[in-house]
Amino acid sequence: MGGVSIPFLLVVSLTGALFVYDEMIFGWFGAKAKVMPPEEQLISKALPTGNLPLDELLSRAKKAVPQGTLMQVRMPDKVERGTPGGAVEFRLSGSFDPGNGNVKVWLDQYSGKVVGKLDPRVNSGLMYQTWHFPLHTGSFGGLFTKILYAIGGLTPSILMFTGVICGGIRKRTRTRTNGNRKSTREP
């Protein structure tokens, strides 16, 4: 069981470590861990009419990704007065989506204009970013993959439990064997 679970445990542990250290590790090789539009591109400019309603922004995001299914909406952080606000991020599921919304669209919250878009079919370098979270959590293959990940996640506990039991059995066997040897030596 331990040998069979090694590939699974390696994938889960390495992707978990990469959540913290991916920028540093990719930097060693001169690469970037995350592909993002420039920060200044994702700033919304306030208009006197105010923000657009969320459903209007959603319909514009769906126009930008016609075959997409909405997976997540990320609202910009609250900003101080006088500071420009951020764009609203929509994650939509396009083709070849492992389950986390692989197409990202940013819309200006005031004008509704698309200020940024990342699509794995268009932007190179998104493969890692698209598959990182789904590989770590098992969210890419439906219910079957989630069940496999749940069972695989229990393997270290199962191995520890069976190791303690086997160690206890060996210890008792050694104690009995040593006890039998002492009794045969004594006259």
Side-chain angles (χ1 to χ4, degrees), residues 32-37 104 106 118 123-127 129:
K32 289 185 178 180
K34 296 193 175 38
V35 177
M36 289 288 288
K104 296 177 185 178
W106 288 268
L118 290 177
N123 303 95
S124 62
L126 281 176
M127 183 67 75
Q129 195 169 327

Side-chain angles (χ1 to χ4, degrees), residues 32-86:
K32 289 185 178 180
K34 296 193 175 38
V35 177
M36 289 288 288
E39 189 79 26
E40 52 278 350
Q41 184 178 332
L42 302 180
I43 294 175
S44 292
K45 287 143 183 86
L47 297 175
T49 56
N51 323 26
L52 289 174
L54 190 58
D55 57 345
E56 173 65 25
L57 291 173
L58 177 59
S59 68
R60 291 182 186 204
K62 286 188 175 186
K63 284 180 188 173
V65 185
Q67 302 295 324
T69 306
L70 181 67
M71 299 294 284
Q72 190 177 67
V73 177
R74 290 187 173 193
M75 299 303 290
D77 294 333
K78 297 218 181 225
V79 292
E80 296 176 19
R81 220 173 172 73
T83 318

Side-chain angles (χ1 to χ4, degrees), residues 10-176:
L10 278 174
V11 167
V12 171
S13 61
L14 289 175
T15 55
L18 283 173
F19 277 115
V20 178
Y21 300 111
D22 62 354
E23 295 289 334
M24 180 178 67
I25 292 170
F26 277 73
W28 292 341
F29 302 103
K32 289 185 178 180
K34 296 193 175 38
V35 177
M36 289 288 288
E39 189 79 26
E40 52 278 350
Q41 184 178 332
L42 302 180
I43 294 175
S44 292
K45 287 143 183 86
L47 297 175
T49 56
N51 323 26
L52 289 174
L54 190 58
D55 57 345
E56 173 65 25
L57 291 173
L58 177 59
S59 68
R60 291 182 186 204
K62 286 188 175 186
K63 284 180 188 173
V65 185
Q67 302 295 324
T69 306
L70 181 67
M71 299 294 284
Q72 190 177 67
V73 177
R74 290 187 173 193
M75 299 303 290
D77 294 333
K78 297 218 181 225
V79 292
E80 296 176 19
R81 220 173 172 73
T83 318
V88 180
E89 178 184 334
F90 292 89
R91 290 187 178 196
L92 295 115
S93 177
S95 61
F96 307 109
D97 185 11
N100 196 33
N102 62 348
V103 180
K104 296 177 185 178
V105 178
W106 288 268
L107 296 173
D108 186 308
Q109 60 183 313
Y110 300 103
S111 69
K113 178 183 166 204
V114 174
V115 293
K117 182 177 175 184
L118 290 177
D119 190 339
R121 290 174 290 163
V122 177
N123 303 95
S124 62
L126 281 176
M127 183 67 75
Y128 164 77
Q129 195 169 327
T130 301
W131 280 94
H132 183 199
F133 182 77
L135 268 178
H136 182 70
T137 60
S139 63
F140 61 90
L143 184 62
F144 179 71
T145 308
K146 289 177 184 176
I147 290 171
L148 283 179
Y149 264 65
I151 292 168
L154 293 173
T155 55
S157 301
I158 293 169
L159 291 172
M160 182 207 60
F161 183 70
T162 56
V164 168
I165 290 173
C166 289
I169 291 171
R170 280 191 201 128
K171 187 175 181 178
R172 274 187 266 142
T173 305
R174 260 191 241 130
T175 306
R176 285 186 199 146

